[in-house]
Amino acid sequence: MIRVFLVDDHPVVRAGVRYLLQNKVEIVGEAETGQEALAKIPQAKPQVVVLDIALPDMDGIQVAEKLKALYPEARLLALSMYAEPEYAERFLQAGGSGYLPKDAIERELEDAVLAVARGEHYLPQGLLYRMIQAQTVRKPGPEVLTERELKVVRYLAQGLSYREIAEAMGISEKTVATYRERAAEKLGLKSRAELVRWAVEEKLV
């Protein structure tokens, strides 16, 4: 059963998430603030962290950045009242694997958690479309990348960490970072979120 940790300062929201995921996942812990989450999650060892973006002490994007350094194995799924593409892009750039506006929780939460747990990225179709539309300049195609650069980009788009990619490819994490930087440079991209969006546009994931 998938191990899930909930981070939200509203007890009603956490109760709703527990209800929607009942009998499908194991809730291994809960937190109301970012600091509490950072303290508890490495010990709880969840597979998926369901994380509110608007927390009382720090925003979920900051929590995501800190958490990926403390516990890189966790897959992060944001729940947010903000449905604008820039929030989702910032969360993905911080190491998140999925982004779900709160108005889509009831119909999409289970699918999102399962997808993120499998190592995939999850964005609602409407949000993904708006993110793609925001990319007004057409980027180069996969043919500009070497086989290994392309493989690293595919793995990143699936939500794998540098360590996981290094293990899968039999190379060092430093080499993974080098391939990622070369790919980004060739494609004229700067962030992980932009690489993921490019991979989606090119139907590589």
Side-chain angles (χ1 to χ4, degrees), residues 35-168:
Q35 291 294 348
E36 185 183 4
L38 293 173
K40 289 182 175 180
I41 288 171
Q43 285 72 41
K45 300 189 182 304
Q47 294 165 267
V48 177
V49 177
V50 178
L51 174 65
D52 186 16
I53 290 295
L55 294 169
D57 56 342
M58 65 178 77
D59 67 48
I61 294 171
Q62 292 175 307
V63 176
E65 292 173 339
K66 295 176 182 295
L67 185 56
K68 291 303 284 187
L70 287 172
Y71 183 57
E73 294 86 353
R75 311 288 186 188
L76 310 181
L77 171 65
L79 300 184
S80 177
M81 60 185 293
Y82 306 111
E84 293 82 2
E86 55 265 32
Y87 284 98
E89 183 169 342
R90 287 177 59 207
F91 187 74
L92 294 176
Q93 185 175 353
S97 296
Y99 191 96
L100 194 63
K102 285 188 174 179
D103 61 4
I105 289 177
E106 187 171 354
R107 63 181 180 275
E108 298 192 49
L109 178 61
E110 181 182 344
D111 288 343
V113 169
L114 294 176
V116 169
R118 290 193 299 267
E120 302 170 6
H121 277 79
Y122 189 93
L123 295 167
Q125 186 174 359
L127 177 58
L128 179 59
Y129 177 77
R130 291 195 299 275
M131 290 178 70
I132 291 173
Q133 287 298 105
Q135 184 80 1
T136 56
V137 179
R138 177 64 180 169
K139 300 301 178 185
E143 66 277 358
V144 304
L145 304 182
T146 67
E147 182 179 348
R148 289 210 152 187
E149 289 166 353
L150 186 59
K151 185 174 288 189
V152 165
V153 172
R154 284 181 186 271
Y155 280 138
L156 287 171
Q158 292 169 13
L160 272 66
S161 67
Y162 279 14
R163 184 170 68 183
E164 290 170 326
I165 296 172
E167 291 175 354

